[in-house]
Amino acid sequence: MCRNIKTLFNFEPSATEDEIFAASLQFVRKVSGFNKPSQANEEVFNRAVEEVTIITQNLLDSLVTNANPRSREIEAEKARIRNAKRFGMKHN
C-alpha cells in the first residue's frame, strides 16, 4: 500500500474533493509506475485518475459506520508523534 494515500473515511469534516483527487492520483501513479505519463499515455492516465476519483467518492458516500467521526487535528497530532518516534525527531 502506498503510504502517501491517507484514510479518507469517517473524518469530521468529511474528505474534500481535492483530497479524494490527490488520493486517486497517487493510486494511479503507483499502479502505472508513472509520476508523469508520456504524451502517448497522458489521456488514459488522466482518464484513470478521473474514474478512480468518481469511484472513490461513491465508495466514501456509501460506507456506513457506528463509530464517531475522527478529528483531523487529533489524527494529525498522532501522526506527528509517530513520525517523530520513527525518524528520531523532536516533537513540539
Side-chain angles (χ1 to χ4, degrees):
M1 184 62 176
C2 183
R3 290 184 191 158
N4 293 330
I5 299 175
K6 305 297 181 212
T7 301
L8 299 176
F9 177 62
N10 198 28
F11 277 98
E12 192 59 45
S14 299
T16 65
E17 289 179 17
D18 288 342
E19 289 173 314
I20 295 169
F21 176 82
S24 300
L25 177 60
Q26 270 309 108
F27 177 78
V28 173
R29 283 177 173 168
K30 185 71 167 184
V31 170
S32 69
F34 299 131
N35 189 35
K36 182 172 177 2
S38 65
Q39 282 185 316
N41 292 315
E42 188 171 23
E43 184 179 334
V44 294
F45 183 92
N46 291 337
R47 186 170 57 242
V49 174
E50 290 173 20
E51 290 173 358
V52 171
T53 300
I54 292 166
I55 291 167
T56 302
Q57 183 66 65
N58 290 341
L59 172 65
L60 293 174
D61 290 343
S62 300
L63 292 172
V64 294
T65 184
N66 292 328
N68 291 327
R70 293 175 281 178
S71 165
R72 289 178 180 272
E73 292 80 24
I74 292 171
E75 295 302 318
E77 182 62 20
K78 288 179 185 177
R80 281 190 286 276
I81 292 168
R82 279 192 309 271
N83 285 335
K85 288 179 182 176
R86 181 175 179 200
F87 298 112
M89 301 180 314
K90 291 183 180 179
H91 172 66
N92 294 335

